[in-house]
Amino acid sequence: MIQMNSVTGVVLAGGKSGRMGTDKAVLNIGGRSMLDRVMHELFRLFDQVLLVTGEADQRGYPGVRVIRDIYPGCGPLGGIHAGLKAAGTPYIFVTGCDMPFVRAELMACLLDHAPGYDLVIPRKGEYVEPLFAVYGKGCIGPAENMLREKKYNIRGFFPEVRVKYIDRKEMEQCAGSDRCFINVNTPEELAEARRMSEDGEV
Ligand SMILES: Nc1nc2c(ncn2[C@@H]2O[C@H](COP(=O)(O)OP(=O)(O)OP(=O)(O)O)[C@@H](O)[C@H]2O)c(=O)[nH]1
C-alpha cells in the first residue's frame, strides 16, 4: 500500500476531440461536465491534481495546476510524459477527461499494487487501459525516448519498465463495476452515457 500523498492525479485534456466534433471535456452527463466528474473522483483520493493540456489550450479548472505538453501534438503519451515530469510525487494516476464514470475505489485498487513497479495497468485479454493507470517516475526516460523518436504508441515503452498488469475482473471484484472504463469519443457514445446516467446504471 502506498501513501496517497505520494500520488498526483493527472487528467489529460489536450486532445482534438475530432470524433466528437466538439470539446469533449465540457460535455454534460447527469448535470456535470465530463471534466468535473473526473476531477471530483480524483480529489476524493489525491491532494494534488494536475490538468495536462495541449500547446494552445486555454482550459483551466478551479484549484488545479494546469501544465502543457512538453512534446505537443503527440497524443496521450505526450500528456503522460508532461504529467510525470511536473509531478512532485513518485507516482501519478492518469485518466482521460473523457471517462465520465471513473471511480476513486478503482484507482485505489490499482495503487495497492504500485510498490516495486513503474506502471500498474488494467488488462482484459489483450486489451490494456493506459488512460486509467498508475505511472512512476521510472517511466519518464523510456517515454521521452519514444517521443524523441516520434513513436507515440503508449505501449511501446512498456518493455523498458517494470509493469504490473491487473486483470479487470479482479478490479471489478474490488470495486463493483467496470463502467469505470467507459470512454466517450463520439456523439453516439455520449448519448449512451447520458442514457446510462439517467437510468441510474452508473
Ligand atoms: N495532454 C494531452 N492530452 C491528450 C493529447 N491527445 C489526447 N489527449 C487526451 O487523451 C485522452 C484520450 O484522447 P483520444 O480520445 O485518444 O484523442 P482525442 O484527441 O481526445 O479525440 P479524437 O480526436 O477523437 O481522437 C483524452 O482525455 C484527450 O484529451 C495530447 O496531445 N496531449
Side-chain angles (χ1 to χ4, degrees):
M1 183 70 180
I2 58 171
Q3 298 295 316
M4 289 306 161
N5 61 8
S6 34
V7 186
T8 301
V10 169
V11 185
L12 305 188
K16 297 191 180 71
S17 297
R19 285 168 285 175
M20 188 66 77
T22 179
D23 183 2
K24 281 185 281 190
V26 299
L27 292 172
N28 189 301
I29 294 176
R32 288 181 295 157
S33 74
M34 288 211 268
L35 182 59
D36 255 337
R37 300 178 69 104
V38 173
M39 287 294 183
H40 177 81
E41 290 301 311
L42 287 171
F43 275 116
R44 284 180 59 207
L45 273 191
F46 310 121
D47 294 338
Q48 301 171 71
V49 176
L50 293 174
L51 183 64
V52 190
T53 71
E55 206 172 11
D57 283 333
Q58 297 304 315
R59 192 186 304 294
Y61 194 87
V64 170
R65 184 174 153 216
V66 180
I67 60 161
R68 290 182 199 281
D69 293 341
I70 299 167
Y71 291 85
C74 302
L77 180 64
I80 293 168
H81 169 262
L84 276 167
K85 292 275 274 191
T89 52
Y91 295 99
I92 63 173
F93 193 100
V94 172
T95 63
C97 66
D98 52 4
M99 298 178 71
F101 305 128
V102 292
R103 293 292 309 266
E105 288 78 3
L106 258 82
M107 300 175 195
C109 282
L110 289 178
L111 285 161
D112 281 345
H113 298 273
Y117 292 96
D118 301 307
L119 171 58
V120 185
I121 187 163
R123 176 164 67 181
K124 191 177 193 174
E126 288 301 295
Y127 184 79
V128 294
E129 186 45 88
L131 298 191
F132 190 81
V134 184
Y135 294 82
K137 290 274 187 185
C139 296
I140 294 177
E144 194 157 322
N145 290 340
M146 299 256 312
L147 290 162
R148 284 212 185 106
E149 291 171 19
K150 303 194 188 321
K151 294 178 182 162
Y152 306 135
N153 182 346
I154 299 170
R155 279 176 294 182
F157 77 82
F158 291 4
E160 312 300 319
V161 297
R162 297 169 299 169
V163 186
K164 173 80 173 170
Y165 293 100
I166 307 294
D167 190 89
R168 269 174 51 173
K169 281 212 171 63
E170 185 187 324
M171 295 180 69
E172 284 158 38
Q173 280 160 9
C174 165
S177 157
D178 76 344
R179 295 283 156 86
C180 178
F181 296 102
I182 289 173
N183 189 223
V184 175
N185 286 308
T186 65
E188 293 72 28
E189 287 168 355
L190 177 65
E192 176 62 6
R194 284 177 171 161
R195 185 201 62 72
M196 289 167 75
S197 171
E198 274 166 27
D199 292 352
E201 290 179 24
V202 283

